Every structure is written in C-alpha cells, then in structure tokens.
Amino acid sequence: MAGLAESGSNPDVDLLYDINGLAKDAPHWFDRIVEYVGEYGLLFAMVLLVLWCWWSVRRRGGEQAASSVAALVWAPLAAGVAVLVNVPIRGFVERPRPFLDHQGLEVLVSGKTDYSFVSDHATITMAMAAGLFVANRRFGIAGIALALLEGFCRIYMGVHYPTDVVGGFALGTAVALLLSPPASALLTPVLKAVERSPRAGWLIRARGRSADGQDAMVPGARREAPGTEERDLAA
C-alpha cells in the first residue's frame, strides 16, 4: 500500500491511501454496500433520524414543543444553506478529485468530475447533525455518529481527501450553530402559529396533548377520580 502512495510527507494523501486501501482488501460485495451507504444510505438515515426526533417531540408536547420543532426544521435548512455556501468555496479552491492526481486508488463511484474541497456529503450530514443536536442532545449525538461514518465512507470510496471531509464537517457545523439563533427567532413564531391552527396543529403536538405535556380532556368526557379503576377491578 505504501508503494502505491508516492505521497512524500503529505499526511492528507497518506491517510487517503491508508483508508482507501481497505477497499482493495475488502470483498466486492462489501465495497458495493459501502458505495450505496456512502452515496445515499446515510443521507436517507439522517432524514429518518430528524423525522424520528420530530415524532418524539410532538408526542411529548409541552410548552417548548414549537421551539423544539423550529430547531428541527432548521436542521435540513442548515444543510441547504451550507451547500450553497460551499459553491463559491469549491470554485475558489478548485481542488481536483484525488483519483485525478494520484494513481492506484480504488474508486467506488465513477463520474465524479466536480471539485473535491469541501465534501458536500460531509457538509450536509454534519450540518443536519449539529442542528439536530441543538434540538435534542440524544438524537444529535446519533446524528454526529452518522456524519462521522459518512466522512469515513467518502474517503474509503476514493472520492475525497481527508481534509475535504474535515472541511465539510467544519462548514456544516459553523453554518448550523452560528445561524441557529436568528433561524430560531424567525421559525419559532411561525411554528407557534401552526401550533394554534386547528388543522395543522398536529404537526407540533399530538392530538390530545396539552401544553404541559399531559393528556388533554376530551370535551364531554368525565375524569375518573384517583383509585376508581382499582376499585372497579377489585369488585
């Protein structure tokens, strides 16, 4: 593997060959799995994680439901903003894909002709993970783990340098965290208006959940006194 590198003392290229070299030794079926996961699967998993967090927030309800959902809405929006910011960065740096400058790489995805720095996949997943972390720490940690796995897959696939991935992580995190306060200030009133809507309020809080997170009384229903159910069962 070291003979393939010819990279001198460049740790970025050396690490690229070390990680991508794993693809040479792995079975073909495993490389195909990594190709699909790194190109589409982890992005889809991140979207599912955000939806799962939204479902958890709306079922729990509470006074902060609207602000929590606003933070969740910001997560995919942050990813979109970060990708737009990356457009001029790529055009300014103009770094070719690693397989164009270095021989012997195992390239799992063909047809990549755009510039390499920074990685869009790493940017998107980390921006969503950082936004998710602001909304919910537990789900955010899971999102960060998915983003790190995405970065590893991009190097494994031979389509990005390690610094492309690190740059994407930094860009996604910066956009998500730095713009989170103004985004929350803009989105929270909108989501509170949605919460008050009789038709769209279910997007913020599950039906029958009150603002304090307790089950709301259905009109016309009679609340049982404590212990009534136990006495009925004893009878």
Side-chain angles (χ1 to χ4, degrees):
M1 186 186 307
L4 294 174
E6 297 182 2
S7 57
S9 59
N10 189 336
D12 193 23
V13 178
D14 290 340
L15 186 58
L16 166 68
Y17 275 99
D18 288 340
I19 296 178
N20 179 255
L22 301 174
K24 295 178 178 295
D25 301 328
H28 178 75
W29 60 266
F30 183 80
D31 285 347
R32 298 286 73 80
I33 291 176
V34 174
E35 174 188 349
Y36 176 80
V37 169
E39 194 73 8
Y40 309 106
L42 288 170
L43 294 176
F44 183 65
M46 188 67 73
V47 172
L48 290 181
L49 189 63
V50 172
L51 291 176
W52 185 8
C53 186
W54 163 76
W55 186 261
S56 174
V57 167
R58 69 178 291 273
R59 288 193 63 184
R60 185 171 61 251
E63 296 181 355
Q64 302 300 319
S67 58
S68 297
V69 175
L72 287 175
V73 172
W74 169 239
L77 291 178
V81 172
V83 169
L84 291 178
V85 173
N86 190 27
V87 173
I89 294 176
R90 280 193 168 196
F92 177 77
V93 178
E94 293 185 346
R95 187 183 200 181
R97 294 280 180 169
F99 52 81
L100 296 178
D101 289 339
H102 303 282
Q103 301 298 319
L105 291 174
E106 185 76 11
V107 184
L108 302 187
V109 180
S110 60
K112 297 287 184 180
T113 58
D114 54 342
Y115 292 122
S116 183
F117 185 89
V118 297
S119 167
D120 276 339
H121 282 72
T123 301
I124 292 172
T125 51
M126 189 55 78
M128 293 184 69
L132 192 57
F133 187 82
V134 172
N136 184 288
R137 299 293 187 268
R138 180 166 57 91
F139 282 93
I141 291 174
I144 292 173
L146 290 179
L148 294 175
L149 181 58
E150 177 69 82
F152 177 84
C153 288
R154 303 309 290 176
I155 304 170
Y156 182 99
M157 294 159 63
V159 294
H160 280 293
Y161 293 95
T163 48
D164 298 337
V165 170
V166 174
F169 288 164
L171 176 60
T173 301
V175 169
L177 297 185
L178 293 179
L179 297 182
S180 178
S184 178
L186 292 173
L187 291 172
T188 299
V190 175
L191 271 299
K192 286 185 176 180
V194 172
E195 183 180 19
R196 293 190 295 267
S197 171
R199 292 188 177 182
W202 63 271
L203 291 169
I204 311 301
R205 182 181 295 116
R207 295 182 185 275
R209 302 298 291 182
S210 62
D212 59 1
Q214 301 298 320
D215 292 334
M217 283 291 292
V218 178
R222 181 173 61 88
R223 185 183 296 274
E224 297 289 345
T228 301
E229 183 178 355
E230 287 80 356
R231 291 197 301 270
D232 290 342
L233 291 175

